[in-house]
């Protein structure tokens, strides 16, 4: 992998987000903050660190104009706290008035991972959709679809597949190779499908021309950039009239094993799943969450703990302690050695337990609502 590439199909964790901003022309999210009336916790804390053209969306929200939120998921095993970060973003934007497009990238998963369409469908519904609903997704103005099955409305379906078929005209093999490195037929197909995913809400068969935002992990930025370029070229050739879609990016929630790792569905000891029982979650935190505490009680009391590398602290920071004052006190107490690792972890476990208990009740109710979202 070349230094100047982000790899959408890799599993690397990102080390240096500032460098990403400079190298790829992603804009700094901080500068938008004064304009956002009611920001998410992850926006305030700088976890959402970059964007392209999100200013248009901030504007649309303020003026109550039509806009679209679209994002895609590749079903892979258990839905964990890393996935919840995206779900929270989706639901936030929906509450701000977004028409919500949620797609299951089953064709991409089929081509790139060799998974079966039937199994992908099952995981997408039982894991992802049920959790989205339990977290607050509403069926109103939500369009949930599969890449393999766009819509029962033939005109809509045709418009989407037509666009997949047409976008290739506005890029070249060399451009794609420069962006993605080595190409395979599966990658090429996935890219064109994703470009059409992101652009099709603006077709006359759907919402018509309007701002679109795509909240994703920063590994997806190459697709966003290419989609924006293709949109501009189609406009230039009078083939379409698209507003270049925008995006924003969050840092990945670290995996339990350390700040330089990712929560990954392929390693159960790296994540807390939203279906983990409070007991299992507690055990994972107590046993496996990397601690920045001292090697012994004396050392810890003397030198303090390091919040910079402590996973329990990170989880409070990312999600579970929204109160800045309380968080600052935890940081201070841990850093000074007054608060011990076990005590810090217990603070997290208490928060996590009450979240999981509530969420798992909500999941049971959500299961009954799944059909409201399916075509
Ligand atoms: N490539 C995305 C992933 O790996 C899935 C995806 C497909 C997607 N189409 C999309 C994401 C459109 C955002 C927008 O997860």
């Amino acid at each position: 992998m070349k230094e100047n590439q982000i790899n959408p199909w890799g599993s690397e964790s990102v080390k240096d987000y500032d460098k990403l901003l400079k190298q790829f022309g992603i804009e700094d999210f901080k500068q938008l903050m004064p304009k956002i009336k009611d920001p998410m916790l992850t926006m305030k804390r700088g976890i959402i660190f970059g964007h392209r053209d999100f200013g248009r969306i901030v504007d649309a929200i303020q003026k109550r104009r039509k806009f679209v939120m679209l994002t895609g998921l590749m079903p892979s095993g258990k839905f964990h706290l890393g996935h919840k970060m995206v779900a929270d973003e989706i639901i936030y934007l929906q509450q701000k008035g977004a028409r919500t497009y949620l797609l299951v990238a089953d064709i991409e998963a089929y081509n790139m991972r060799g998974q079966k369409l039937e199994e992908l469908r099952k995981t997408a519904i039982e894991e992802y959709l049920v959790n989205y609903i339990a977290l607050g997704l509403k069926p109103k103005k939500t369009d949930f679809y599969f890449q393999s099955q766009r819509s029962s409305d033939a005109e809509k379906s045709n418009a989407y597949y037509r666009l997949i078929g047409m976008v290739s005209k506005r890029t070249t093999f060399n451009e794609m190779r420069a962006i993605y490195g080595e190409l395979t037929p599966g990658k090429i197909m996935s890219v064109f499908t994703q470009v059409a995913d992101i652009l099709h809400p603006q077709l006359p068969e759907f919402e018509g021309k309007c701002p679109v935002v795509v909240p994703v992990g920063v590994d997806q930025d190459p697709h966003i950039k290419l989609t924006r370029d293709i949109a501009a070229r189609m406009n230039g050739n009078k083939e379409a009239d698209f507003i270049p879609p925008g995006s924003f990016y969050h840092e990945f929630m670290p995996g339990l094993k350390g700040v330089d790792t990712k929560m990954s569905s392929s390693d159960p000891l790296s994540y807390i799943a939203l279906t983990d029982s409070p007991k299992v979650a507690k055990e994972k935190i107590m046993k496996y969450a990397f601690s920045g505490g001292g090697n012994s009680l004396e050392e810890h009391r003397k030198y303090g703990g390091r919040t910079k590398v402590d996973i329990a602290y990170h989880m409070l920071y990312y999600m579970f302690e929204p109160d800045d004052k309380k968080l600052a006190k935890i940081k201070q107490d841990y850093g000074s050695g007054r608060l011990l690792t076990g005590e810090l972890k217990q603070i997290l476990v208490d928060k996590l337990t009450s979240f999981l208990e509530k969420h798992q009740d909500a999941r049971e109710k959500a299961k009954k609502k799944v059909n409201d979202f399916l075509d």
Side-chain angles (χ1 to χ4, degrees):
M1 175 96 311
K2 282 190 260 155
E3 256 259 64
N4 63 350
Q5 276 181 351
I6 309 177
N7 177 11
W9 295 285
S11 58
E12 304 86 6
S13 74
V14 179
K15 305 249 155 58
D16 188 345
Y17 289 101
D18 276 343
K19 197 165 116 201
L20 273 184
L21 294 185
K22 291 192 195 95
Q23 233 174 36
F24 295 97
I26 297 169
E27 292 175 77
D28 190 347
F29 202 88
K30 264 198 287 320
Q31 286 164 7
L32 268 186
M33 280 304 283
K35 286 197 181 160
I36 303 178
K37 277 213 187 93
D38 174 24
M40 302 177 69
L41 182 69
T42 43
M43 293 174 175
K44 289 191 270 193
R45 297 221 166 134
I47 295 160
I48 293 178
F49 66 93
H51 73 99
R52 291 186 189 271
D53 251 346
F54 189 61
R56 271 188 219 278
I57 300 294
V58 177
D59 239 42
I61 293 173
Q62 252 159 32
K63 296 181 180 139
R64 296 175 178 278
R65 296 225 174 99
K66 176 164 75 178
F67 72 101
V68 166
M69 180 315 302
L70 175 142
T71 194
L73 56 103
M74 284 245 264
S76 58
K78 292 281 167 196
F79 190 98
H80 56 62
L81 291 176
H83 299 122
K84 178 178 179 289
M85 283 180 66
V86 184
D88 289 342
E89 293 165 358
I90 295 169
I91 290 157
Y92 170 86
L93 288 165
Q94 180 171 61
Q95 286 169 352
K96 296 287 167 212
R99 303 189 177 211
T100 306
Y101 282 61
L102 271 173
L103 68 103
V104 181
D106 58 347
I107 292 293
E108 180 177 356
Y110 176 90
N111 283 328
M112 299 304 294
R113 298 179 174 166
Q115 289 164 286
K116 297 203 173 76
L117 292 181
E118 259 322 299
E119 274 164 35
L120 288 159
R121 186 181 176 90
K122 189 166 170 324
T123 312
I125 293 173
E126 288 172 12
E127 278 294 324
Y128 289 72
L129 185 56
V130 169
N131 282 308
Y132 289 151
I133 300 168
L135 290 167
L137 185 74
K138 296 283 183 285
K140 199 172 159 226
K141 291 199 226 161
T142 297
D143 188 339
F144 182 83
Y145 73 93
F146 295 80
Q147 284 178 332
S148 66
Q149 197 179 4
R150 175 60 191 94
S151 173
S152 54
D153 176 329
E155 269 190 49
K156 286 189 167 187
S157 216
N158 290 344
Y160 170 76
Y161 291 110
R162 185 157 56 236
L163 189 60
I164 299 179
M166 289 171 74
V167 290
S168 77
K169 190 164 175 67
R170 296 295 160 218
T171 181
T172 63
F173 194 72
N174 282 339
E175 181 182 44
M176 288 187 72
R177 211 168 32 195
I179 298 171
Y180 300 107
E182 188 153 2
L183 293 173
T184 62
K187 281 189 192 176
I188 294 172
M189 192 64 215
S190 302
V191 169
F192 294 148
T193 307
Q194 184 154 350
V195 169
D197 283 331
I198 298 172
L199 292 179
H200 86 283
Q202 296 193 65
L203 294 174
E205 291 83 354
F206 292 85
E207 311 295 338
K209 185 178 182 181
C210 71
V212 176
V213 60
V214 187
V216 268
V218 72
D219 62 308
Q220 297 294 304
D221 184 60
H223 299 314
I224 303 290
K225 171 100 182 16
L226 179 65
T227 303
R228 288 166 60 84
D229 290 342
I230 289 179
R233 292 167 196 158
M234 290 181 81
N235 291 350
N237 285 283
K238 307 238 176 319
E239 292 162 336
D241 191 11
F242 292 130
I243 296 175
S247 58
F248 63 79
Y249 306 110
H250 55 250
E251 294 180 5
F252 290 107
M253 177 172 282
L256 296 181
K257 290 174 183 170
V259 287
D260 287 334
T261 68
K262 250 167 88 169
M263 277 204 184
S264 160
S265 313
S266 56
D267 176 8
L269 298 183
S270 76
Y271 63 71
I272 304 290
L274 271 65
T275 45
D276 279 344
S277 67
K279 184 163 165 280
V280 167
K282 176 176 180 172
E283 220 170 81
K284 285 188 183 177
I285 298 293
M286 290 300 182
K287 268 201 201 151
Y288 302 108
F290 186 86
S291 163
N295 285 327
S296 64
L297 183 61
E298 290 97 81
E299 265 185 45
H300 187 83
R301 292 285 190 216
K302 196 160 159 200
Y303 304 113
R306 292 177 301 148
T307 47
K308 259 210 163 76
V309 297
D310 194 285
I311 293 299
Y313 179 79
H314 272 72
M315 290 174 74
L316 290 166
Y317 182 83
Y318 269 67
M319 201 171 273
F320 289 105
E321 184 45 88
D323 184 325
D324 287 336
K325 283 201 189 110
K326 285 189 189 157
L327 189 74
K329 179 149 183 2
I330 291 170
K331 187 174 183 185
Q332 161 88 50
D333 287 352
Y334 195 60
S336 72
R338 200 173 327 146
L339 190 68
L340 301 175
T341 291
E343 293 167 337
L344 172 66
K345 286 189 170 183
Q346 192 58 50
I347 295 174
L348 174 64
V349 165
D350 289 345
K351 301 256 180 192
L352 196 54
T353 302
S354 78
F355 165 72
L356 288 173
E357 281 171 353
K358 228 176 81 206
H359 182 73
Q360 287 164 15
D361 280 349
R363 265 182 62 90
E364 291 312 308
K365 296 195 189 96
K367 284 179 189 168
K368 294 178 203 126
K369 296 187 195 148
V370 161
N371 280 331
D372 301 348
F373 291 81
L374 298 177
D375 194 8

